[in-house]
Amino acid sequence: MNPQPLIGVLAVQGNFREHAAVLRRLGADAVEVRKPEELDALDGLVIPGGESTAITRLIRAYGLEAAIRRFQQPLLGTCAGMILLDRQHLGLMDIDVERNAYGRQVASFEADLELSGEEKPLRGVFIRAPRVTALGPEVEVLAELDGEPVLLREGRFLVASFHPELTDDTRVHERFLELVRQWAYVRT
Ligand code: GLN
């Protein structure tokens, strides 16, 4: 892998520009992905938040669904991106996710999250956020909100039910880039 990892951000709908900006700030090379062949050179891929129904429809239309299933590098999914990785959608992670699960009254909110291994809380921005309703034994919980998992890792997959691309705290993306580095190291 290059010293500067090449990270794709799925750019069919949603917050892809914000993710690319954070990744660039952290020194990664970030490119927008709209075609299956664009996945080939990547060291990692981000599936952003947005509208999971729209993203699902568009990746099917662009032939990206099969390409993402074949993709073998680390993947970060946030909000709608987390929904896409679950058992009911791409089936890449061993989790069940319920959409828009915080109800209409609290459709959007912010909360301080306790991040595993760190003193400083992480500010989570939740926007019509999904909720993890079941998780397999290989899934590690990295942050919780009121006892429910909101940041999870399973092997090369990292998912958040909130929007780390909308705050100045870059620690979720840093963890993802660390995963990308480890993954490349293990494979060489
Ligand atoms: N509610 C959206 C969905 O179901 C996800 C919200 C988001 O990504 N901010 O796709």
Side-chain angles (χ1 to χ4, degrees):
M1 190 178 73
N2 311 319
Q4 192 182 17
L6 179 64
I7 310 294
V9 183
L10 187 71
V12 296
Q13 195 268 333
N15 286 354
F16 50 89
R17 288 184 192 87
E18 292 84 350
H19 274 288
V22 179
L23 292 163
R24 286 181 191 127
R25 228 175 105 192
L26 294 173
D29 208 349
V31 290
E32 295 181 359
V33 168
R34 295 186 184 83
K35 294 184 193 140
E37 60 271 24
E38 289 169 340
L39 290 175
D40 293 345
L42 302 178
D43 298 310
L45 178 69
V46 178
I47 305 184
E51 202 48 54
S52 56
T53 45
I55 298 176
T56 301
R57 208 161 5 93
L58 290 166
I59 61 172
R60 238 165 239 165
Y62 297 167
L64 277 160
E65 182 178 346
I68 295 170
R69 283 185 209 274
R70 279 196 307 270
F71 187 68
Q72 290 298 318
Q73 311 291 343
L75 245 150
L76 169 64
T78 60
C79 207
M82 174 168 102
I83 297 170
L84 257 88
L85 291 182
D86 82 354
R87 293 173 183 150
Q88 312 299 321
H89 294 82
L90 291 167
L92 292 170
M93 276 185 84
D94 196 11
I95 55 173
D96 275 327
V97 178
E98 189 191 339
R99 294 181 59 205
N100 303 330
Y102 288 88
R104 286 184 64 187
Q105 300 308 315
V106 286
S108 300
F109 58 95
E110 294 188 20
D112 278 330
L113 308 172
E114 204 178 302
L115 189 57
S116 73
E118 304 214 18
E119 289 284 313
K120 195 178 149 214
L122 180 75
R123 192 75 178 158
V125 177
F126 293 81
I127 303 170
R128 291 182 298 114
R131 210 174 211 149
V132 176
T133 55
L135 67 173
E138 303 298 319
V139 183
E140 188 189 349
V141 176
L142 302 176
E144 291 182 341
L145 175 66
D146 300 331
E148 290 189 51
V150 292
L151 179 67
L152 308 97
R153 179 187 165 183
E154 181 184 0
R156 66 189 169 96
F157 303 106
L158 181 65
V159 286
S161 55
F162 54 96
H163 285 264
E165 77 286 9
L166 297 182
T167 61
D168 286 333
D169 195 328
T170 55
R171 284 177 290 168
V172 171
H173 290 84
E174 284 169 44
R175 285 193 182 210
F176 179 61
L177 291 176
E178 186 51 39
L179 185 60
V180 167
R181 257 173 237 118
Q182 284 170 3
W183 192 255
Y185 181 75
V186 168
R187 285 159 51 95
T188 49

